[in-house]
Amino acid sequence: MSPIHLSAADGPLRAIPPLSALLAFERAASQLSFRRAARDLALSPSAISHQIRGLEELFGVKLFVRGARSVRLTADGERYFAKISVALAALQDAGREMLRHRRDAGGELWISSLPFFTSTVLIPALGDFRRRNPTLTLRIEATHQYADFNASRVDVAVRYGREHSAGLKFEPLIEVRGLPVCAPALVKGGLRRPEDLSREVLIHLTTQPRTWATWLEQAGIPDLTPRGHLWLDSVPAMLEAAEQGLGVTLAMAPLIRARPGFGKKLVAPFDAAAVSSMETIYLVSRTEQARDRRIAALRRWILDAVGRASR
């Protein structure tokens, strides 16, 4: 990502930086955290810092005072933040109006859902949705990124945690915990207890790098060193790698039990029911759509699908 370079040759828009830089600055300024801004925009903290440095170079001023563990706005940063917040809010309002008009005029519903939840819960239940709602069309985005209800077409989202709650309704769907799973051959080879993981390869999800470390800490073995690590960018790939005996991965229990082949190609090597803490998966929607019949139909279908998948 290269620094921002604008000049008089750029015409009347020469004082307007790229939208990506403005969004990076707005998120960092509103939360006073490059890390949280990076999470919101699905970027790295270094990318956020790079965008802001580009703005500072463009205007020839410092926008942030950077500390060892925190950042704060300078006087110039405060003035710029006040101005662009209004401008970005106006852009969001215009976008929401356009998206709402399209959404209300058509028969499409957009779902942003965790990839594993999509493959294990939603896809097996699609036939049931079509039977219940023959005039509606679903569009499902399987992603670990938080849905932006202000700037996208998403109608409902399925997510961990209660982040970004302003104007949104959160309904608990199911409580889940991390469950180590592997191929039966690893169990036959001696994988019987959490401590035995030291002889195995741990399979990680690249977007959730701390998951195994947290699980090992909750299991009381934070210093365990495995034989190796394998990093993959999707949950389906992790589960397939585990089925092929390449290592041990963490699955979402109890939903993992709905995966075809669980108990045969993929097994839980030991009882870990009391090891990891429970997390809640929520159904997220706009509060303004609480009485939308289409959203209500979608909600009922997802709740029923979760019930079937968690039996």
Side-chain angles (χ1 to χ4, degrees), residues 77-255:
E78 294 266 10
R79 286 192 292 271
Y80 194 54
F81 178 50
K83 294 287 187 180
I84 70 160
S85 295
V86 174
L88 289 175
L91 288 174
Q92 285 188 337
D93 287 343
R96 278 197 297 265
E97 183 178 346
M98 294 294 290
L99 292 169
R100 188 180 302 116
H101 174 74
R102 172 166 181 156
R103 186 171 58 244
D104 295 342
E108 291 186 344
L109 287 170
W110 293 68
I111 303 174
S112 175
S113 173
L114 295 163
F116 179 71
F117 190 93
T118 299
S119 61
T120 305
V121 177
L122 299 184
I123 290 178
L126 286 178
D128 179 53
F129 181 86
R130 286 194 294 268
R131 287 190 294 272
R132 295 187 187 193
N133 308 281
T135 63
L136 295 178
T137 299
L138 286 185
R139 290 184 178 268
I140 302 175
E141 179 187 30
T143 176
H144 288 285
Q145 296 180 12
Y146 279 91
D148 186 343
F149 280 82
N150 291 324
S152 71
R153 300 176 182 175
V154 64
D155 291 292
V156 301
V158 176
R159 285 292 176 270
Y160 283 123
R162 298 176 61 86
E163 307 211 20
H164 312 295
S165 59
L168 299 178
K169 179 181 180 181
F170 287 75
E171 301 172 78
L173 282 177
I174 188 172
E175 288 190 330
V176 297
R177 68 169 77 245
L179 178 69
V181 293
C182 64
L186 270 63
V187 177
K188 294 178 181 177
L191 180 56
R192 297 284 192 274
R193 307 173 301 146
E195 291 77 8
D196 297 331
L197 290 169
S198 62
R199 300 195 301 268
E200 307 297 341
V201 172
L202 300 187
I203 303 174
H204 304 260
L205 184 64
T206 54
T207 56
Q208 297 178 359
R210 290 285 305 164
T211 303
W212 262 117
T214 300
W215 190 93
L216 292 171
E217 183 175 352
Q218 293 172 347
I221 46 175
D223 297 325
L224 181 139
T225 301
R227 181 166 60 87
H229 300 274
L230 174 61
W231 294 85
L232 296 169
D233 64 357
S234 74
V235 174
M238 289 169 52
L239 295 175
E240 290 175 15
E243 287 177 345
Q244 294 179 26
L246 299 180
V248 185
T249 194
L250 285 170
M252 195 183 294
L255 295 179

